[in-house]
């Protein structure tokens, strides 16, 4: 009897670990803001944890490739909730990643703590990367969810 129980327990444990890992890190779909041949091509976005938990740090990691060296610039980020802009910010690109960024692949990562008063739900983010001449290098849009802290287990 004990022998038959052990494999079922192992299957449950593996399933539980798989669910936890998918909750904390998974690829996020995105779209480009316009049908433009941007110099920076985004290949993926990863949000950790996913869904985002209010009052806790969240990391947004963007994988991309550039066809030209990036010497400087800025990230412009707009966050909307039910179509209304609720947050905007501008970051120096070289504070997020070491500049200059050579031609080829790179990863930009930004971590921040979302406020405790942020209502749970789905948010839309639009991120535009502009070079030091204020020319757009890329522009993407993606969605993410915010939940109350009790719905996501700590690891």
């Amino acid at each position: 009897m004990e022998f038959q129980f052990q494999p079922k327990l192992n299957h449950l444990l593996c399933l539980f670990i798989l669910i936890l890992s998918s909750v904390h890190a998974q690829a996020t779909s995105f779209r480009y803001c316009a049908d433009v041949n941007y110099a920076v091509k985004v290949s993926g976005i990863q949000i950790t944890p996913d869904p985002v938990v209010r009052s806790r740090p969240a990391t947004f990691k963007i994988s991309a490739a550039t066809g030209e060296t990036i010497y400087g610039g800025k990230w412009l980020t707009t966050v909307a909730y039910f179509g209304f802009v609720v947050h905007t910010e501008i970051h120096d690109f070289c504070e997020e990643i070491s500049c200059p960024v050579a031609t080829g692949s790179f990863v930009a990562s930004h971590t921040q703590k979302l406020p405790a008063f942020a209502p749970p739900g789905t948010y839309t983010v639009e991120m535009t990367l502009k070079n030091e001449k204020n020319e757009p290098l890329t522009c993407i849009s993606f969605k993410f969810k915010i939940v109350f802290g009790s719905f996501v287990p700590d690891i």
Side-chain angles (χ1 to χ4, degrees):
M1 191 69 106
E2 207 172 308
F3 179 74
Q4 292 175 350
F5 178 73
Q6 188 64 30
K8 288 181 183 178
L9 182 63
N10 286 340
H11 290 295
L12 287 174
L13 183 60
C14 287
L15 181 61
F16 180 71
I17 290 170
L18 181 63
I19 289 170
L20 284 180
S21 66
S22 69
V23 164
H24 284 278
Q26 62 188 49
T28 299
S29 62
F30 69 94
R31 65 175 183 77
Y32 287 100
C33 302
D35 189 18
V36 175
N37 187 20
Y38 291 112
V40 173
K41 310 285 189 225
V42 175
S43 57
I45 300 170
Q46 186 176 12
I47 303 170
T48 308
D50 189 4
V52 172
V53 181
R54 63 189 196 169
S55 296
R56 294 191 187 165
T59 300
F60 297 82
K61 191 181 293 187
I62 299 170
S63 301
T66 180
E68 60 187 55
T69 301
I70 303 171
Y71 295 98
K74 57 189 170 186
W75 277 114
L76 294 90
T77 305
T78 303
V79 182
Y81 184 65
F82 287 110
F84 296 98
V85 174
V86 294
H87 183 75
T88 57
E89 61 187 37
I90 299 172
H91 290 275
D92 183 326
F93 180 66
C94 296
E95 289 177 7
E96 305 292 325
I97 191 167
S98 180
C99 287
V101 176
T103 301
S105 298
F106 67 93
V107 176
S109 183
H110 177 72
T111 300
Q112 76 180 67
K113 187 175 175 181
L114 277 73
F117 60 82
T122 301
Y123 291 74
T124 302
V125 176
E126 183 174 292
M127 296 182 81
T128 303
L129 173 60
K130 293 187 174 188
N131 64 14
E132 69 280 357
K133 297 174 188 170
N134 209 35
E135 301 165 333
L137 296 176
T138 197
C139 179
I140 57 171
S141 176
F142 61 92
K143 296 183 182 301
F144 74 95
K145 288 184 179 180
I146 294 180
V147 298
F148 292 111
S150 61
F151 295 125
V152 178
D154 290 327
I155 290 188

